[in-house]
Amino acid sequence: MIVEGSKIGGEIVGIDTVKIYVQTDIKTAEILLDGLKNDKKYRVEIKRHREKRSLDANAYYWVLIGKMAAVLDTSKEEMHNTQLNRYGVIKLDEDGKPEFCMERDSENYLAYKHNHLYPTDQTENRKGVVYRWYIKLKGSSEYDTKEMSRLIDGTVEDAKELGIETLPPDELERMKAAWGETAT
């Protein structure tokens, strides 16, 4: 939950210990506390705020995907998933570990092309049925500015290699500046 308009402070209370305080209004505090269960442990995560990606950037990405798919004679969805496999972000579970799944290889070998999955190892059971392990990837709609920037930069380079005309660098930088962050 995002706590807008709240104040955060803290103090060092020991060599390895820091107390952090969040000051917010009563209603927000009640909502936060009502969601907690006494018999559960909780982990708090603090992340740097990043602006959501701009719709201009997303629209441009899909224009490039369409052009690349036409050149390579494939669907936009397959091209999109190819780009996610190249430049995408691994989906992490709540412990910060990559999420995996397993599919029956003989029936779903191409499943990763439609489900944001990256194929890794395969295994065979005692009956000779082959299964493939996949790492789950975040869909681009879940990307922050930095992640989307990497996806677009890679896609622009791939489009250029296919002879597809792309926006000039200054226009790409304008789109990134609209996110409040330039490429590094």
Side-chain angles (χ1 to χ4, degrees), residues 1 48 169 173:
M1 171 180 284
R48 182 173 162 233
E173 288 303 316

Side-chain angles (χ1 to χ4, degrees), residues 1 22 27 30 62 65 80 89 124 128 137 178:
M1 171 180 284
V22 177
K27 186 173 183 172
E30 286 175 349
W62 281 101
I65 288 296
H80 171 60
V89 180
E124 189 173 328
L137 299 171

